[in-house]
Amino acid sequence: MAVVLHYSKRLSERPTPGFVPDIDLRSYQGPSDIPIWLELRHRAFARATPGILQWDRSDFANEFLEKPWWSPERIWFAITPDAASGAPLAVGTVAMADRGSGAAAVPAVHWLAVLPTWRRRGVARMLVAALEERCWRLDMREIFLETHEGWTAARRLYEELGYRQLP
């Protein structure tokens, strides 16, 4: 059985915006983004151990649209021009969920996903920086996340970004 690990980070200063050449960030723009997000998630985790199940629109709705914390500006996409067509291509995504509810709710990094061919280029750092900067603007200073013990690259990234595993 997969072991879920919990991490947190306390923001002590305003996060520095990330920058990756030829990558722009945008937030969720509506239902046409759902298949884009689903494909990103599927491709980003296709070879992950532990693996993930394939999702559809109803899973997306359950995970995001039906949550009390949901708003379109809580999902970011990293976009670049497709090399072949020049059309916008989503290469990464992250969402900001709430952990807990009401006044006790705290922000959480949720479903950070980057296409394998775009990893180690700063895309994930850029996405997390956008989430952290939004938390800063909202006067939220502690951020949580969950990841799997077997996702060592993700764990390494989070630790490099200052997240610490909780006991």
Side-chain angles (χ1 to χ4, degrees), residues 17-76:
F19 174 76
V20 178
D22 298 322
I23 297 283
D24 291 316
L25 292 184
R26 70 163 175 82
S27 58
Y28 178 87
Q29 296 177 344
S32 63
D33 277 344
I34 296 172
I36 295 168
W37 188 91
L38 290 169
E39 180 67 14
L40 265 170
R41 179 186 174 276
H42 171 71
R43 289 177 58 198
F45 290 92
R47 296 184 180 192
T49 303
I52 60 167
L53 299 175
Q54 184 80 22
W55 277 13
D56 61 22
R57 286 178 174 268
S58 65
D59 295 306
F60 180 90
N62 184 54
E63 189 77 3
F64 297 106
L65 306 177
E66 297 169 6
K67 299 293 188 200
W69 50 260
W70 164 252
S71 65
E73 56 278 351
R74 283 180 167 248
I75 294 182
W76 292 266

Side-chain angles (χ1 to χ4, degrees), residues 6 62-64 66-71 73-76 94-111 131 134-135 138-146:
H6 301 266
N62 184 54
E63 189 77 3
F64 297 106
E66 297 169 6
K67 299 293 188 200
W69 50 260
W70 164 252
S71 65
E73 56 278 351
R74 283 180 167 248
I75 294 182
W76 292 266
V94 72
M96 184 176 90
D98 280 352
R99 184 176 181 188
S101 60
V106 293
V109 175
H110 195 57
W111 284 113
L131 183 149
R134 177 160 174 88
C135 290
L138 295 172
D139 202 30
M140 299 173 169
R141 297 297 185 257
E142 190 165 18
I143 304 170
F144 290 87
L145 65 86
E146 293 179 351

Side-chain angles (χ1 to χ4, degrees), residues 112-132:
L112 175 62
V114 175
L115 295 179
T117 56
W118 281 87
R119 292 182 184 156
R120 305 201 55 80
R121 299 186 193 192
V123 175
R125 291 174 185 276
M126 185 179 187
L127 288 161
V128 172
L131 183 149
E132 290 177 352

Side-chain angles (χ1 to χ4, degrees), residues 3-22:
V3 175
V4 175
L5 303 176
H6 301 266
Y7 285 75
S8 73
K9 179 179 181 177
R10 186 130 191 94
L11 299 176
S12 58
E13 57 187 46
R14 184 179 202 106
T16 304
F19 174 76
V20 178
D22 298 322

